[in-house]
Amino acid sequence: MELLRQKVLDEGIVLGQGVLKVDSFLNHQMDPFLMREVGREFARLFAESGITKVLTIESSGIAPGIMAALELEVPLIFARKHKSLTLTEDIYVEKVYSFTKQVSNDITVSKKFIAPGERVLIVDDFLANGEAAFGLARIVEQAGASVAGIGIVIEKAFQPGSRLLKEAGYRVESLVRIASLEDGVIAFAEGGEEAAG
Ligand code: 5GP
């Protein structure tokens, strides 16, 4: 996705330890026009997948997730990282290790929002080791629903998440793929969605 690729190049800031900061358009301030295009792209990629719900994780997955859900005309659910006091009903719980925060969180989704047989599109802002995506996929499967695909805004292809998810049988579509952040330089990988479209 050329627009996104350009935004990453213009505004992405490389931090140490392979972390990319994109707080001007995705992780703090959000660019609604870019998010609309991201949503359209996910909807195009998964148009034939029979998606009934989009599932993401708070908070940075919500913007791309809601735009994908809007375009696919289905609801968005976001997994919570902290137990809500109002979440009194039955919940699915999975442990997810956070790459950027280096702590484990229990992520939760209310059982009433995923029914058996649903086809769920998982969306997230970044893919690194795949922890968040695997945790969300386990919740979908606990519910007796199926993961129709995983849509990622920025994949860091130098980390193993994408390979592990594909090996586990999931369809992964990343809108941009980063090959390396070494020496503070953002190098893109071939084979991202933008190469095909
Ligand atoms: P994973 O679970 O695949 O190891 O990491 C993905 C999650 O960690 C995403 O939900 C995202 O919030 C966060 N993350 C991983 N790498 C980065 C990064 O380089 N930059 C930012 N801003 N978030 C990241």
Side-chain angles (χ1 to χ4, degrees), residues 74-88:
V74 298
L76 168 78
I77 313 161
F78 65 89
R80 293 178 184 275
K81 286 180 182 161
H82 307 284
K83 279 196 188 110
S84 161
L85 287 177
T86 60
L87 209 63
T88 50

Side-chain angles (χ1 to χ4, degrees), residues 18-20 27 97 99-100 124-132 156:
V19 175
L20 182 68
N27 288 154
Y97 182 78
F99 172 74
T100 46
D124 205 4
D125 59 340
F126 273 89
L127 177 58
N129 293 321
E131 283 277 324
K156 294 189 295 178

